[in-house]
Amino acid sequence: MHRGFNHFSNNLAAYCVLIGPIYLLFVLADERKLFRYTFLAFLFILPFVIALSNIAALGYGTGAGFSGIGSAFFGLLPVSLFLFIHNKVSEEIEPAHGVVLFLIAAAIIAGTYSGVTAAAGILLFAILITIYDTYQVGLDEVKEAAVGLSSMGGYFELVMIAGLLFLVSPVLLFPQDIAQGDSAVNILSHYLGLLFGFFGPTIYLFYRKHRR
């Protein structure tokens, strides 16, 4: 399953750090059932998605480790964060608004592999979406949500920790030098996991809202 103890321990440590705030935010948002289904999807569906994508892109589908699934938990962080805010702070703020955080992470990844121009373009797009979202929600509502969240002792810190963990994910998942000893970091699997972890639950929540 892993290339060695260090590989295993790094993946296990990342999982242990991530699962705490994610689970707490889902529980506080009264979304235990959604967490269970998402967790099972990561374990039993995502590996096949990653394997088939590796076959299509790289010509092989085998890999070692849990990092693709671990990347999905990184992607789930902003979903859990904005879901908590939507359910407990302001119904006007949707889980889909977390796309701004995803774009910031994408800009960091682009800066690592494509240069400053690509990163700046993605960041500009993120700023424009932030302005649009703020206009749609209403500046007063955003301010009230920020004040309400900051006054929630302990919950505010949990939200900040989840957000910061997600923003450091590009550095952890996408190193500048992908060659690590005798092997290479499968950044394709990491990126697929990040995409699946964020957009899978986000699309489902969008569908659930409009179905209701």
Side-chain angles (χ1 to χ4, degrees), residues 76-97:
L76 190 59
L77 275 168
V79 180
S80 62
L81 186 161
F82 278 89
L83 184 60
F84 167 75
I85 293 174
H86 173 73
N87 287 4
K88 296 299 181 180
V89 182
S90 171
E91 292 185 354
E92 299 301 318
I93 298 176
E94 300 285 347
H97 290 145

Side-chain angles (χ1 to χ4, degrees), residues 7-83:
H7 188 209
F8 168 75
S9 61
N10 289 340
N11 283 337
L12 182 61
Y15 170 78
C16 290
V17 168
L18 293 172
I19 201 63
I22 290 172
Y23 180 70
L24 284 174
L25 286 167
F26 270 92
V27 169
L28 292 169
D30 298 324
E31 296 282 1
R32 287 181 177 86
K33 186 176 181 180
L34 177 59
F35 173 81
R36 288 195 294 267
Y37 286 146
T38 303
F39 187 89
L40 292 174
F42 286 1
L43 291 183
F44 295 108
I45 297 176
L46 182 57
F48 294 101
V49 174
I50 291 176
L52 291 173
S53 300
N54 278 327
I55 290 171
L58 305 176
Y60 63 90
T62 59
F66 190 75
S67 56
I69 299 172
S71 300
F73 284 107
F74 271 112
L76 190 59
L77 275 168
V79 180
S80 62
L81 186 161
F82 278 89
L83 184 60

Side-chain angles (χ1 to χ4, degrees), residues 10 24 45-46 49 53 64 68 83-84 102-103 110 119 121 131 143 162 173 190 204-205 210:
N10 289 340
L24 284 174
I45 297 176
L46 182 57
V49 174
S53 300
L83 184 60
F84 167 75
F102 186 88
L103 286 173
I131 295 171
K143 289 179 178 178
L173 299 174
H190 289 182
Y204 169 76
L205 287 167
H210 288 276

Side-chain angles (χ1 to χ4, degrees), residues 90-165:
S90 171
E91 292 185 354
E92 299 301 318
I93 298 176
E94 300 285 347
H97 290 145
V99 73
V100 171
L101 281 180
F102 186 88
L103 286 173
I104 293 173
I108 297 172
I109 298 169
T112 301
Y113 299 118
S114 301
V116 175
T117 302
I122 297 174
L123 281 177
L124 177 60
F125 188 48
I127 292 170
L128 292 175
I129 290 181
T130 301
I131 295 171
Y132 175 78
D133 287 345
T134 302
Y135 174 77
Q136 290 292 102
V137 173
L139 184 58
D140 290 339
E141 181 67 22
V142 172
K143 289 179 178 178
E144 288 180 14
V147 171
L149 181 61
S150 63
S151 66
M152 300 171 71
Y155 297 160
F156 175 75
E157 288 79 6
L158 179 61
V159 166
M160 290 297 102
I161 288 171
L164 289 173
L165 278 175

